[in-house]
Amino acid sequence: MTDRAGTHVVLLATGGTISSRARSAEGGAAVAADAGAEVLGGLATAPAYPVRVVDVACEGSYLLTLVDMIAICAQIKIALADPSVRGVVVTHGTDTMEETAYLADLTHDHVSPVVFTGAQKSADAADPDGPGNLADAIAVAGSPAAAGLGVLIVFAGEIFPARGVRKAQTFALHAFTNPDFGSAGSLTATGDVVITRQDQRMPPLPLPPLPPRQARRVDVVSAYPGADGILLQASVAAGASGIVLQATGSGNGNPALCVAVAAAAAAGTVVVTSTRVSAGPVIPVYGAGGGRDLVAAGAIPTGLLRPSQSLILLSLLLQLDRNRDEIAAAFALYGAAITESDQIC
């Protein structure tokens, strides 16, 4: 990729552990507290590129709604509309970083990269990891090598594509993994950006306009040994426009869940089938209540998308008023595997 004309990186601060400090009023619990300038001020050395800070929010990511995530993505678009911006860094809580980053990736239509990062240790820890992660994220956001890569997560020296990424450790510093789509690269000990893989970019979807309307209800329901259809039925009764079924194995349920899926589909609720397994595609193979019967009942397989990101794609499509056939086509596209020809070395 060629260099870009931008002169600085924009830091969009949204809170999370990287901004958190223990508060006596909260019984010693950590809460998001630092504004973006304070987060940036924690760097041990000057950042690789000049940085302009924009405060978007200051809260733990476990509190975010889809509407909040849409608002963050809107700020990304505003930042990238400025030709002097090389790239964008979003500091974000790790709990739902995989959701917001994926929404940003689905709606990203610019060559400049967007890089999400955060921390596993709070800002007032004896040895916080946030400053190192932020320094790395700024280096990637400004690097010509990252142009055209879309939305990335940079954490503990690793660079991941947003699609397929998930938090795999509750407290360990190497918090993220991407079992199906792998790593996009890494940073060296001296802060150099090394890109080892460039995946084919998916066509961007529109971002709902601001202010976004109230998001349509989308629920996640788990399949488990002995599960019946009660939770699926309750979701439909609560007004869900969509349901993500977190199935077992390659996307399996049981006869009771198949009956509930058929009833949900008949009521106009879009049901998609993901899996609790960490890697591999959802493929309808089995009968007797398995994946093939779920598809026959009206469920849509999500391919390689896990429940967290299936929720985001389904929510966005429903927000855009896409019908069931359009939703099925979108999951076939955005949940598809990447071929070897899409990789670089």
Side-chain angles (χ1 to χ4, degrees):
M1 290 288 179
T2 57
D3 198 356
R4 302 181 304 284
T7 59
H8 70 281
V9 169
V10 170
L11 167 59
L12 300 179
T14 72
T17 298
I18 195 170
S19 75
S20 293
R21 296 180 181 274
R23 289 289 183 258
S24 57
E26 300 286 340
V31 295
D34 289 353
E38 294 171 288
V39 173
L40 182 64
L43 296 187
T45 59
Y49 300 93
V51 178
R52 175 167 60 88
V53 177
V54 177
D55 287 303
V56 178
C58 189
E59 56 187 335
S61 69
Y62 48 85
L63 299 172
L64 298 179
T65 66
L66 179 70
V67 171
D68 295 327
M69 294 175 181
I70 291 172
I72 291 170
C73 292
Q75 288 297 319
I76 292 171
K77 289 188 176 295
I78 291 170
L80 290 176
D82 181 349
S84 68
V85 174
R86 298 180 65 89
V88 173
V89 171
V90 182
T91 51
H92 193 286
T94 58
D95 281 9
T96 61
M97 189 183 292
E98 63 201 69
E99 283 95 343
T100 307
Y102 186 52
L103 179 62
D105 192 54
L106 286 169
T107 58
H108 188 50
D109 58 359
H110 201 284
V111 67
S112 295
V114 175
V115 181
F116 280 70
T117 195
Q120 291 284 72
K121 297 183 179 182
S122 59
D124 55 0
D127 54 344
D129 59 322
N133 287 339
L134 178 56
D136 286 349
I138 293 168
V140 173
S143 172
L149 296 187
V151 178
L152 305 165
I153 287 181
V154 171
F155 218 93
E158 298 177 286
I159 306 171
F160 296 107
R163 183 169 69 137
V165 79
R166 66 207 65 159
K167 188 173 182 180
Q169 290 282 344
T170 52
F171 292 106
L173 299 188
H174 287 266
F176 288 91
T177 186
N178 197 325
D180 286 308
F181 299 106
S183 169
S186 61
L187 290 103
T188 68
T190 56
D192 294 324
V193 177
V194 179
I195 300 299
T196 56
R197 174 176 180 144
Q198 180 172 331
D199 297 333
Q200 179 183 357
R201 297 287 299 134
M202 295 293 178
L205 290 165
L207 184 70
L210 285 174
R213 67 187 182 191
Q214 182 66 36
R216 295 191 180 184
R217 183 184 183 106
V218 178
D219 292 329
V220 178
V221 176
S222 293
Y224 52 85
D228 58 22
I230 295 297
L231 295 180
L232 271 162
Q233 294 166 10
S235 177
V236 174
S241 297
I243 297 172
V244 178
L245 177 62
Q246 180 178 283
T248 60
S250 58
N252 301 308
N254 59 39
L257 289 172
C258 289
V259 170
V261 167
T269 300
V270 180
V271 181
V272 301
T273 304
S274 185
T275 176
R276 68 183 188 180
V277 181
S278 63
V282 171
I283 299 176
V285 174
Y286 296 98
R292 188 162 294 185
D293 288 349
L294 285 170
V295 170
I300 298 168
T302 61
L304 290 171
L305 294 178
R306 288 314 182 261
S308 61
Q309 295 192 340
S310 296
L311 172 75
I312 292 300
L313 179 55
L314 180 56
S315 297
L316 176 60
L317 294 169
L318 289 168
Q319 201 77 1
L320 296 172
D321 295 320
R322 301 296 168 86
N323 62 38
R324 186 197 178 280
D325 289 343
E326 291 170 326
I327 291 171
F331 273 97
L333 175 64
Y334 293 94
I338 291 172
T339 64
E340 291 296 320
S341 63
D342 297 323
Q343 301 179 32
I344 62 172
C345 296

